[in-house]
Amino acid sequence: MTQDVIALTPRMPDVKTLLAGLYAGGPDLRVDRAAGGSVVQLCADDGQVLVSLEAPRYVQVPGETGRLLGVEASADGPVWWTEVRALSTSGEAGRLAGSVAGRLTAVLGGTTWPRDAAHTGVVAVPAQPSGPAESSVAGGSADEGGVGGSGAAGVDVLTARAAVVIQDRPVVAAATWLTEVLGAAARAEREVQILTPPGTRLTLAARTLLARLPARWVVRDEECGYYDGLSGTVLSWRDGGEDQGGHFRPATSGPDDRPRIARAFAAPVRAGSAAADASVDEGDGAGLGGGEQQLLLSLRTVHPATGELLLGGALETAWQVLTGAPPAGWSTAEPVNLPWSRRQLTELARGRAREGLPSWITAVGHRDRPALATVRVGHSPLGVEEHITLALGYSAGEAPPVDSLRELAKALATRHHLATMLVQLRAARADLTTPAHFEPAPVPVSFTLGADAVHELGIDRALRAPAPAHPTRLGPSVRPALHYVLGGGGDPAAGGEALQRLYRHLRTG
């Protein structure tokens, strides 16, 4: 089993301190570099990776350690986050990771997560028998067969079809090493499969990445073995032979060969939430009720590609209108470590654009209001596009600010080149993490069509769209944007049908 140990120190780990940590395995281990030099690996003589040490990140955003690691690891001030990952190539690898992290905190101060994993002893790692890169996963948990050494940074099991990453932590985030694993696997046409215990959750950023790339969340289950954490489909490890390679795939049964849904995927009962009555077979019928909720915004902006362009304005405005404050921080991975800066975000996007690459960033809000966003920036024939997903969490009894949506739509349409914005409500965790069980589908609340899109479609046709209420004109009367109210979020079926009718009308135009 992979064991992650994170050192949280008030001072930056320098070269001497890192060397002291790396000597936790004694002189018999060798040090290699991976991921372009950003990852240091402790390896056995045969090349098997035992421990990988990520480049330290200076986390300046309050609340990030608590959001990703829990209250016990939370720190009020800035902290250096150094992640030490022990791959499942050796039973002693976990203790080795604990010693590396423990030596860092012994010299620099601070603490580790988990706290009881830290020590400063030398760990003797026995020689490992050489073996194939593919782990024997069938018939038991994936950590039982040994990996035999994948040689890939952050990967526990590497086959011709899959790169399996084993995580045993409460929250899986879009860490730098995970984004690099996802990118490398996509280029090699492998599927990344993240294997976790049933209590693990995904951050919004991690879930967004998994949805965009060939990836699967695999959850261990006592009853069925494994299931997909997002769909509930029962999975099994299949040895695909020399050409195909082992990987997790849906397990089918019955004469129609349909995938089975794990019992563990059924929504748990939560007092005060309409989602408590939702089952695997009743997903579309679950209302929002009075439990925890999420307000979800999906919006796209299209800007003229000029030297004066400053990105991030639409996201900042949405955050300000809906929470009363701008974002707290941003980064290209989690933990989010940089204070919010539109200029720095724009400079990053420009630098990547010169290399012909899109940009992907994540942003977080202040601790008093759970809010997370992902932003993808790229060029198109229309200009510079921002694809933004923003989620805000509300505890039971709190009312999401749906009354502010028209004000927000007007601000985005008149000042930030809004193309489209869809707003939805869903019954889900207020902390914005995704658990490995069923959650009701989002319920559409409103849709906004930007001025350019309305002009291209034709104002008369856009006004005749089949919506529950007549659309509201936003901005100049000669070239307005249109805001369509689809419902208050209380009727999932009606909201979904209204959105589909609207989409069909706009597409046919």
Side-chain angles (χ1 to χ4, degrees):
M1 168 62 69
T2 300
Q3 176 65 59
D4 297 346
V5 185
I6 299 169
L8 303 170
T9 60
R11 291 185 288 154
M12 178 181 179
D14 56 17
V15 174
K16 291 183 178 180
T17 307
L18 290 174
L19 287 175
L22 293 173
Y23 270 106
D28 296 330
L29 302 182
R30 78 167 195 251
V31 178
D32 290 339
R33 289 188 175 272
S38 63
V39 177
V40 178
Q41 297 177 331
L42 283 178
C43 305
D45 287 339
D46 60 359
Q48 291 184 340
V49 180
L50 302 173
V51 167
S52 67
L53 184 68
E54 304 293 320
R57 290 172 67 85
Y58 188 47
V59 180
Q60 306 172 64
V61 180
E64 272 299 273
T65 55
R67 180 176 74 89
L68 299 179
L69 302 178
V71 176
E72 68 168 10
S74 62
D76 290 332
V79 66
W80 286 94
W81 172 303
T82 307
E83 189 153 342
V84 188
R85 303 195 65 242
L87 304 183
S88 54
T89 52
S90 167
E92 293 297 313
R95 293 192 66 246
L96 181 59
S99 182
V100 173
R103 288 167 177 239
L104 294 181
T105 56
V107 175
L108 302 171
T111 186
T112 64
W113 178 92
R115 289 188 178 180
D116 57 2
H119 64 98
T120 57
V122 175
V123 180
V125 180
Q128 298 296 300
S130 59
E134 183 171 331
S135 171
S136 176
V137 186
S141 64
D143 50 316
E144 291 177 352
V147 181
S150 68
V155 176
D156 294 278
V157 180
L158 190 65
T159 77
R161 288 283 298 273
V164 181
V165 175
I166 306 174
Q167 288 281 277
D168 187 10
R169 57 200 297 176
V171 177
V172 172
T176 302
W177 65 265
L178 182 56
T179 61
E180 291 171 347
V181 166
L182 287 164
R187 290 189 294 272
E189 297 184 348
R190 287 189 177 96
E191 181 179 76
V192 173
Q193 301 186 331
I194 301 176
L195 176 60
T196 75
T200 295
R201 291 167 280 123
L202 304 181
T203 65
L204 171 70
R207 178 172 180 170
T208 301
L209 284 177
L210 295 187
R212 288 184 51 223
L213 296 168
R216 187 187 293 276
W217 180 16
V218 182
V219 180
R220 290 193 304 276
D221 179 62
E222 292 183 358
E223 180 179 323
C224 69
Y226 307 97
Y227 68 91
D228 189 301
L230 297 179
S231 70
T233 303
V234 174
L235 305 172
S236 63
W237 178 263
R238 302 290 180 87
D239 290 312
E242 184 176 346
D243 295 333
Q244 295 295 323
H247 61 290
F248 286 100
R249 56 177 293 182
T252 57
S253 64
D256 54 0
D257 212 31
R258 295 179 59 186
R260 295 182 289 122
I261 303 299
R263 288 182 179 272
F265 189 67
V269 175
R270 292 186 299 159
S273 171
D277 299 326
S279 69
V280 175
D281 298 324
E282 298 172 347
D284 292 336
L288 291 172
E292 296 174 291
Q293 297 184 64
Q294 295 176 5
L295 185 66
L296 306 174
L297 288 77
S298 300
L299 58 111
R300 181 172 67 96
T301 63
V302 182
H303 306 274
T306 66
E308 295 75 29
L309 174 61
L310 196 61
L311 297 170
L315 180 61
E316 184 176 270
T317 296
W319 225 294
Q320 189 76 47
V321 170
L322 298 177
T323 73
W330 76 284
S331 184
T332 57
E334 293 178 299
V336 173
N337 62 325
L338 300 172
W340 175 250
S341 170
R342 292 179 59 190
R343 186 164 300 281
Q344 290 181 354
L345 189 159
T346 303
E347 290 173 355
L348 170 78
R350 282 207 176 101
R352 291 186 60 82
R354 283 193 287 267
E355 300 175 12
L357 299 172
S359 299
W360 184 89
I361 69 108
T362 185
V364 297
H366 299 273
R367 283 184 286 190
D368 58 347
R369 166 57 59 208
L372 292 164
T374 62
V375 183
R376 183 162 50 91
V377 181
H379 282 73
S380 76
L382 300 176
V384 180
E385 297 195 14
E386 294 176 292
H387 296 258
I388 301 169
T389 299
L390 170 61
L392 301 99
Y394 299 90
S395 301
E398 290 187 298
V402 293
D403 292 341
S404 300
L405 293 178
R406 186 168 68 175
E407 172 195 350
L408 172 60
K410 181 178 180 180
L412 296 177
T414 56
R415 302 204 304 266
H416 298 291
H417 300 280
L418 179 69
T420 60
M421 178 173 70
L422 172 64
V423 180
Q424 303 180 90
L425 275 171
R426 70 179 304 179
R429 295 178 62 101
D431 64 9
L432 305 177
T433 59
T434 299
H437 62 69
F438 170 82
E439 290 183 316
V443 181
V445 174
S446 67
F447 180 79
T448 306
L449 197 62
D452 289 345
V454 171
H455 177 75
E456 182 179 351
L457 180 68
I459 183 64
D460 291 338
R461 181 173 182 82
L463 288 171
R464 293 197 306 268
H470 195 71
T472 302
R473 294 174 181 247
L474 305 174
S477 58
V478 294
R479 198 180 177 94
L482 293 179
H483 180 68
Y484 303 87
V485 175
L486 303 175
D491 189 339
E497 291 172 2
L499 180 63
Q500 291 303 316
R501 288 195 301 269
L502 177 62
Y503 275 173
R504 284 195 296 268
H505 180 85
L506 298 179
R507 279 197 300 264
T508 56

